[in-house]
Amino acid sequence: MPVHNDDLALYRAFVDNQIENLQCLKFDPDRVVWHYTSGAGLLGVIESGTLWATQVSCLNDSTEVRYGSKLFRDALVKLRQNMPPDPEVEQMLDQTTSALLEDPSTPSHAPSMYFVTCFSEHEDDLSQWRAYCGGENGYAVGFRARGLFGNPNSLVVRVNYDTEQHLAVAEQVAAATVKFFRDGIEKGRAPSPAEWMGEFLPVWTNFIGQLAPLVKDEAFRAENEYRIVHQLQANEMGRVRFTQKETLMSRHLPLTFPHPAAPRFPMLPIVGVKVGPSRHKEITRISVDTLLLQMGYGGGHVSSSSIPFQAT
């Protein structure tokens, strides 16, 4: 028996409240945020008029999404240790915590339907040139945040790095997991608790899965990251694209955005491009400016990094 619409509304309201608690939606919509990419990535962005979102388990740093899962698992373990005996709830908690164990052969976020695209407040940051652009010939593409709004089933968020807030949210998610599971049993949502667990857990974990990409360890605070978090819909499955990385095959979803000046072909809300440290920044700047002009964005939007190039 599917989870009732009334239950879904409660789950959605709970997750929305946690997003509000994390203050991920509180930022200046006129802020310019920067997407760091390689030369091939820049050409793909400009020529296709899309930004690729990456499935959360396929991100370059897989520890990012595991951070939220560990917080949730720890909160569930703590809750189970302190709750009165309840065999049905204990079975559900045992299954959930086991699923969240860090086993590379069965990563818990591998089936997740959430995809993310990453940005930073910083337009000329050496650590990000190195991490995301391969050093020379990298680019930072600037977008006004409000231009990224409006994509169905997507949120534009500012990443939260506050450990205390993360722990508080994890505790609330753990408590809500028990509450909503018990509610379903009491309301007779399924013929048995075991069958309800099979119905409840996939739906509930999908809802709370939206929270994991919103938080990162405070060690990454200097990145000042923003993200588009998109929930893949069944009718988008045919648009998923795949790339072979060194250690895995990754999943991506091209995202398009409304652009008032481009009703007939895809364009992005680009406000500028920064050419990263390289030996030929001025030649490259003129080339990128010509590319933007050719693709309808106009000229004069490209600048060069102030960081000197160091050959390795």
Side-chain angles (χ1 to χ4, degrees), residues 40-54:
L42 175 74
L43 289 171
V45 166
I46 301 298
E47 293 175 349
S48 70
T50 65
L51 277 172
W52 276 26
T54 301

Side-chain angles (χ1 to χ4, degrees), residues 41-49 141 268 270 273 291-292 295 297:
L42 175 74
L43 289 171
V45 166
I46 301 298
E47 293 175 349
S48 70
V141 188
L268 293 164
I270 294 171
V273 175
L291 171 65
L292 290 176
M295 298 302 294
Y297 291 93

Side-chain angles (χ1 to χ4, degrees), residues 147-208:
L148 303 172
F149 297 168
N151 200 298
N153 307 300
S154 293
L155 287 178
V156 181
V157 301
R158 182 178 62 180
V159 172
N160 183 296
Y161 301 94
D162 190 318
T163 303
E164 292 302 316
Q165 288 186 352
H166 303 169
L167 292 170
V169 168
E171 289 183 359
Q172 292 184 55
V173 173
T177 302
V178 173
K179 177 184 182 300
F180 290 134
F181 179 68
R182 280 178 171 152
D183 286 348
I185 293 175
E186 292 171 3
K187 293 174 181 176
R189 294 299 197 222
S192 70
E195 290 177 81
W196 170 238
M197 182 167 59
E199 295 288 347
F200 167 73
L201 283 179
V203 174
W204 173 244
T205 54
N206 183 56
F207 270 92
I208 62 175

Side-chain angles (χ1 to χ4, degrees), residues 40-172:
L42 175 74
L43 289 171
V45 166
I46 301 298
E47 293 175 349
S48 70
T50 65
L51 277 172
W52 276 26
T54 301
Q55 197 270 347
V56 291
S57 68
C58 302
L59 292 168
N60 288 338
D61 185 355
S62 60
T63 62
E64 292 183 13
V65 71
R66 295 205 303 268
Y67 171 73
S69 294
K70 184 179 184 303
L71 290 174
F72 179 40
R73 185 179 188 279
D74 290 348
L76 289 174
V77 170
K78 180 180 177 181
L79 179 63
R80 190 190 190 292
Q81 291 171 343
N82 296 320
M83 63 180 285
D86 187 332
E88 295 165 347
V89 171
E90 290 170 5
Q91 183 182 3
M92 182 273 292
L93 291 177
D94 288 344
Q95 179 170 319
T96 305
T97 54
S98 294
L100 292 170
L101 282 172
E102 291 305 323
D103 181 354
S105 66
T106 57
S108 60
H109 286 278
S112 174
M113 303 301 279
Y114 288 100
F115 288 63
V116 302
T117 306
C118 302
F119 308 84
S120 172
E121 286 186 10
H122 305 306
E123 65 177 287
D124 194 7
D125 183 75
L126 179 58
S127 65
Q128 296 190 71
W129 290 126
R130 288 173 171 169
Y132 304 116
C133 305
E136 188 174 9
N137 296 319
Y139 302 86
V141 188
F143 301 86
R144 201 166 305 282
R146 70 166 67 252
L148 303 172
F149 297 168
N151 200 298
N153 307 300
S154 293
L155 287 178
V156 181
V157 301
R158 182 178 62 180
V159 172
N160 183 296
Y161 301 94
D162 190 318
T163 303
E164 292 302 316
Q165 288 186 352
H166 303 169
L167 292 170
V169 168
E171 289 183 359
Q172 292 184 55

Side-chain angles (χ1 to χ4, degrees), residues 19-41:
I19 294 173
E20 184 175 346
N21 290 341
L22 290 167
Q23 298 184 322
C24 291
L25 303 179
K26 292 185 178 180
F27 57 87
D28 181 359
D30 287 319
R31 175 178 294 281
V32 176
V33 295
W34 298 85
H35 177 68
Y36 284 77
T37 188
S38 64

